[in-house]
Amino acid sequence: MRSQKTYNLVLTALFAAIIVIMAFTPFGYIPLGIINATIIHIPVILGALFLGPKRGAFLGFVFGLSSMLKATFVGGTLSSFVFSPFLAAGIEGGAGAVKSIIICFVPRILVGVVPYFVFQAFRKLMKMGKGSLSVGLVVAGIVGALTNTILVMGGIYVMFRDSYATAVGVSVDTLFKFIMGIVAGNGIPEALVAGVITVAVGQVLYRIRPVTA
């Protein structure tokens, strides 16, 4: 029991360190001018699968915190204010700050929860048969990445519609199509990459310790 707790603590710290390193180096974010493409959700997804949803949610919180700090102190995109309560407050006041905090943390925390339950349900559906591990890891990776993309971009559309449209230079009437373009152009490739990396790393980790049940 003590060995398992130590393993979980070490793996949690390792994933958290990877998230922070990726957040503040070119490895984690790919600047696209309007918004950053990211692969930081991958260690969050893996943490959820191998450590359970509680620790996965914690790693998602670390992801959200890192994105907030990066947007506040580094910026770099037209939509940085969406992820910084300090910048958002300057545009929309206190309400903007609250909305920014929601977008920073809620989607990222759910990235550390949803893939776990999707993976467990998928393996039960396949009755733990041959290939269920690999396919389950791919599906969990894709779902985790899409959870981040859809909730973040959906949150922006619902909560920052006018300010975001002004920032990126499009009309409010065409903003939905614009956001769907980002989801299709960035979100889908991110999801496919997450699926590939999750299954590749996940299979190695599984040899050391099975996925949390």
Side-chain angles (χ1 to χ4, degrees):
M1 181 65 70
R2 182 177 300 174
S3 177
Q4 182 176 340
K5 287 183 178 180
T6 301
Y7 175 89
N8 288 344
L9 182 61
V10 170
L11 194 57
T12 301
L14 176 62
F15 281 135
I18 291 172
I19 291 168
V20 173
I21 292 171
M22 292 177 73
F24 293 97
T25 63
F27 298 107
Y29 290 104
I30 303 170
L32 301 175
I34 296 172
I35 199 166
N36 287 325
T38 183
I39 56 172
I40 302 181
H41 47 261
I42 295 174
V44 180
I45 295 167
L46 288 167
L49 298 178
F50 287 90
L51 296 166
K54 291 182 179 180
R55 291 180 183 268
F58 167 75
L59 293 171
F61 175 84
V62 174
F63 176 17
L65 180 61
S66 70
S67 67
M68 184 181 75
L69 294 175
K70 183 177 179 66
T72 300
F73 297 106
V74 180
T77 69
L78 297 174
S79 59
S80 292
F81 73 92
V82 170
F83 303 99
S84 169
F86 307 100
L87 298 179
I91 296 174
E92 296 192 0
V98 172
K99 291 186 286 187
S100 176
I101 291 172
I102 292 172
I103 290 179
C104 270
F105 291 103
V106 174
R108 278 62 188 275
I109 289 173
L110 288 176
V111 170
V113 176
V114 174
Y116 170 84
F117 292 103
V118 168
F119 179 82
Q120 297 295 339
F122 193 86
R123 292 204 76 190
K124 288 179 181 178
L125 184 65
M126 294 187 68
K127 298 180 180 179
M128 308 292 285
K130 185 178 181 180
S132 66
L133 174 65
S134 297
V135 178
L137 289 170
V138 171
V139 172
I142 291 174
V143 170
L146 289 176
T147 297
N148 180 61
T149 300
I150 292 172
L151 291 182
V152 167
M153 297 311 301
I156 290 173
Y157 181 76
V158 171
M159 291 185 281
F160 283 105
R161 187 179 310 172
D162 294 336
S163 299
Y164 186 76
T166 300
V168 300
V170 302
S171 68
V172 175
D173 293 338
T174 61
L175 183 61
F176 181 78
K177 290 182 179 180
F178 180 83
I179 285 179
M180 290 305 297
I182 294 177
V183 171
N186 299 343
I188 293 177
E190 281 182 3
L192 294 176
V193 170
V196 171
I197 297 178
T198 299
V199 69
V201 177
Q203 287 179 327
V204 174
L205 289 175
Y206 190 81
R207 296 190 185 101
I208 301 172
R209 181 177 183 273
V211 176
T212 298

